[in-house]
Amino acid sequence: GFLAVDCGWAADADTAGFVAGLLPTAVLFGRLFTSILWGHAADRCGRRPSMIASMVAVTLGNVCFGLTTSLPAALAVRFLLIGALNGWVTLMGLCVLECAGEAMQPVVWSYVFATGSVVALLGPAIGGWTYAALGPRFPALPPSLVGGAIGATAVAVNVAWLPETKPRAASSSASAATA
């Protein structure tokens, strides 16, 4: 609500709730159109590059959101970079199954969901603590930079350690075996 009022997207705190509700809606609306496409990208290009591209988009989206001053720009960033170009939800299932195997899948998912809960608890606290810390022009920039730094760290971890789990095509395996 504060961001909507501080950026002039809402006249007062009473109308800020509607605007604040539009922001997460834009993310989910973006995912609605691309979730299946992310599965196709993972099958065509590989799980690892698809996951890394998705995480880079979300990282850029966090920083760009902090720099927006107009509601249409904020909604566009949320829709495109944090929503449509965020294939994490689709790709995570593939990666967990293929990296951990069927036996360990429930354990890995429990870590994923536990981490999400920690983020859901700490995110608003960090956002509130850092909000407008760099001044009133871009009040959401400090928490967005924190999110961007966390995202950049996640990208680096995935670049360093996420294996490619896409099964090789039967024709390339057969030709490799005969060579």
Side-chain angles (χ1 to χ4, degrees), residues 14 27 30 51 59 74-75 104 152:
D14 292 333
V27 172
M51 182 66 90
T59 300
L75 291 172
M104 291 300 294

Side-chain angles (χ1 to χ4, degrees), residues 127-146:
W129 181 56
T130 61
Y131 183 79
L134 298 178
R137 181 169 161 98
F138 300 108
L141 184 58
S144 295
L145 290 174
V146 171

